[in-house]
Amino acid sequence: MAKQELKRDLKDRHVQLIAIGGTIGTGLFLGSGKSIQMAGPSIIFAYLLIGIALFFVMRALGELLLSNAGYLSFTEFATEYIGPWAGFITGWTYWFCWIMTAMADIIAVGVYMQYWFDIPQWVPAIACLVILLGLNLLSVRLFGELEFWFAIIKVITIIILIVVGIVLLVIGFKTDTGTVTISNLWSHGGMFPNGISGFLFSLQLVVFSFVGVELVGVSAAETADPKKNIPSAINKIPVRILLFYVGALLVILFINPWDLLDASSSPFVEVFALVGIPVAAGIINFVVLTSAASACNSGLFSTSRILYTLSRHKEAPAKLSKLNKYSVPSNALFTSTIVVSVGALLSKLVPEQAFSIVTTISAICFIWVWSIILISHIIYSKKRPDLRAKSIFKAPLTPFINYVILALFVFILIVMLFADATRIPLLLTPIWFIMLAILYRFKIKQ
């Protein structure tokens, strides 16, 4: 009997919108308020810096994936070019990243639903999780459809914000906080009102805003035409960053000076309320709800595929590589869903600081994953010049830019040591890697 394989059912529009969904998340809709308060208008430079860095990471990822049609995800080329330990640790770390992110997002779904309904937050959280599980079990195309429509909602919201902002800027609209003008960007203390430290401390939040950008790579094994769709999705990332992040934040800062924004609420809600849209809070709450559901959906997809790949390489229980009749890794999907649901059910027992700790650890672990991609690409370019010469999607400025971005990641981790909110998570994270190292040693001795 032929060995079951993942089905290549993701079309070009699915891959394009998965890429958009991966670069527009709750970090923008919710986290941008806090990051603006930390960095002021210089937050624009922070998003540009991290966005450019991740574009080169994605170009390296794209070249590696297309160099071998057999690669299912980045864990496989990490194993080939760095070593089996790198594939093992990176695979489980990526699973860990998305499990924590999905836990946070499914809890957020429950919180957002309380805006309309007076029910315990775990009820809609579990309900949403069950619905996402059911849809993901049916086919990968349904996952693509979900992400397509989730991303459409986010894109439309941001485009409306930008269009409204431009109109208000042109007519010189007056709000309760003053006139909509470009000078609001620098007239309240300059571009770096909190100094260089505020800019640097905001980088961790900006990194978390971009988690998921690598989902294009995870979906490679289920993409109908990877040689066409993956390069197309990756090459459009810079335009999306400029439009959806930089464009949206610029408009927000034109309308409302940075020091008049509330760090604890969404700046999108505040801006729509300022321009006189009475249902602004409800609109944005719906958008943030779909964004959280989208992130959880992405988490279930990515973690199940990582477990499937780990199982195929005998680095996870063999049952996790079993596919159902729709060619979906159902056992891996059930396993990830159960772990995420535990986080939702125990949400009441988690202190308020836990959300910050979870998202910070997630960002740190994503930095590990992105770094492994860059290191694998450096080794690949040295060991396989024959493949590079034939590459249809060659990453630019290799290996110089790889080293520059790796240095940037190390610098961000060092900065985290000096911020109260990130110091403890940074010091806790090595426990995960020590545990994985012990498990790997135990595995190879068997």
Side-chain angles (χ1 to χ4, degrees):
M1 188 173 76
K3 188 176 181 179
Q4 284 184 296
E5 298 289 346
L6 295 175
K7 191 175 290 184
R8 292 188 178 273
D9 265 354
L10 291 179
K11 307 303 179 186
D12 179 57
R13 67 185 180 90
H14 295 142
V15 177
Q16 295 292 339
L17 270 295
I18 287 171
I20 291 177
T23 50
I24 307 173
T26 51
L28 175 63
F29 289 117
L30 294 178
S32 55
K34 184 177 180 181
S35 59
I36 288 171
Q37 284 299 305
M38 294 177 71
S42 66
I43 193 65
I44 302 296
F45 303 132
Y47 273 97
L48 278 173
L49 176 64
I50 302 301
I52 291 169
L54 288 179
F55 169 66
F56 284 106
V57 172
M58 291 301 296
R59 284 298 301 259
L61 173 62
E63 182 177 355
L64 284 165
L65 286 173
L66 295 176
S67 71
N68 185 337
Y71 287 150
L72 297 178
S73 73
F74 41 76
T75 59
E76 299 196 321
F77 59 66
T79 297
E80 179 173 347
Y81 291 112
I82 302 178
W85 66 269
F88 179 85
I89 291 177
T90 302
W92 280 108
T93 297
Y94 192 64
W95 178 82
F96 183 57
C97 289
W98 270 109
I99 284 293
M100 290 195 298
T101 303
M103 279 185 184
D105 282 302
I106 203 64
I107 292 170
V109 166
V111 174
Y112 301 145
M113 287 297 290
Q114 288 181 321
Y115 178 83
W116 294 294
F117 306 104
D118 185 19
I119 54 176
Q121 69 180 54
W122 66 268
V123 175
I126 294 298
C128 178
L129 195 58
V130 170
I131 292 170
L132 292 177
L133 170 64
L135 293 172
N136 274 275
L137 281 171
L138 293 177
S139 74
V140 69
R141 184 173 293 185
L142 265 179
F143 163 76
E145 287 296 331
L146 282 172
E147 283 306 292
F148 179 85
W149 291 109
F150 280 144
I152 286 290
I153 291 171
K154 291 185 274 190
V155 168
I156 290 174
T157 301
I158 294 176
I159 290 176
I160 290 173
L161 170 74
I162 293 174
V163 170
V164 169
I166 292 172
V167 171
L168 298 180
L169 182 65
V170 170
I171 66 176
F173 186 82
K174 292 186 181 298
T175 69
D176 293 340
T177 60
T179 303
V180 178
T181 172
I182 294 176
S183 64
N184 280 337
L185 195 62
W186 60 79
S187 61
H188 289 246
M191 294 299 291
F192 290 83
N194 294 327
I196 193 67
S197 61
F199 169 79
L200 294 177
F201 289 152
S202 73
L203 291 177
Q204 178 269 324
L205 288 169
V206 176
V207 166
F208 183 72
S209 295
F210 282 104
V211 300
V213 69
E214 74 300 314
L215 270 176
V216 174
V218 178
S219 65
E222 294 164 274
T223 301
D225 188 358
K227 290 185 178 181
K228 173 189 173 185
N229 296 337
I230 291 177
S232 175
I234 290 174
N235 281 336
K236 291 174 182 174
I237 286 174
V239 175
R240 288 167 182 153
I241 290 169
L242 286 172
L243 177 63
F244 299 126
Y245 279 100
V246 178
L249 291 175
L250 278 173
V251 165
I252 287 171
L253 292 171
F254 292 162
I255 295 173
N256 211 15
W258 74 272
D259 54 341
L260 298 180
L261 289 169
D262 184 358
S264 62
S265 65
S266 169
F268 286 79
V269 173
E270 292 189 58
V271 165
F272 279 119
L274 271 176
V275 299
I277 301 178
V279 293
I283 293 172
I284 298 303
N285 195 71
F286 175 74
V287 172
V288 173
L289 172 65
T290 59
S291 182
S294 170
C296 184
N297 191 42
S298 297
L300 293 181
F301 173 83
S302 58
T303 53
S304 62
R305 271 54 179 184
I306 287 293
L307 285 182
Y308 170 79
T309 303
L310 288 168
S311 177
R312 284 192 26 144
H313 291 129
K314 299 181 173 26
E315 293 175 340
K319 289 183 178 180
L320 295 179
S321 60
K322 181 182 177 181
L323 301 180
N324 65 13
K325 63 181 180 180
Y326 303 109
S327 298
V328 170
S330 52
N331 288 347
L333 192 56
F334 275 118
T335 301
S336 291
T337 303
I338 289 169
V339 177
V340 172
S341 68
V342 170
L345 290 170
L346 296 178
S347 62
K348 286 187 177 181
L349 303 177
V350 179
E352 291 182 6
Q353 296 83 359
F355 184 83
S356 175
I357 291 174
V358 165
T359 53
T360 302
I361 292 177
S362 179
I364 294 167
C365 290
F366 270 105
I367 286 177
W368 167 277
V369 172
W370 297 333
S371 298
I372 288 294
I373 292 170
L374 291 171
I375 293 169
S376 298
H377 188 254
I378 292 171
I379 298 172
Y380 152 82
S381 62
K382 290 180 179 178
K383 286 188 173 181
R384 299 303 306 269
D386 55 321
L387 289 180
R388 284 222 85 201
K390 296 184 292 183
S391 176
I392 60 172
F393 192 56
K394 192 176 294 183
L397 304 178
T398 302
F400 169 75
I401 197 67
N402 300 54
Y403 290 116
V404 170
I405 298 169
L406 286 169
L408 172 64
F409 288 158
V410 171
F411 178 72
I412 292 172
L413 294 175
I414 293 172
V415 168
M416 286 184 188
L417 280 173
F418 295 92
D420 294 336
T422 55
R423 186 182 303 111
I424 293 176
L426 180 64
L427 296 175
L428 287 174
T429 305
I431 295 173
W432 168 256
F433 291 100
I434 291 170
M435 183 180 73
L436 285 181
I438 293 171
L439 287 174
Y440 180 73
R441 292 289 296 176
F442 177 76
K443 170 184 168 293
I444 61 177
K445 285 181 179 180
Q446 287 184 316

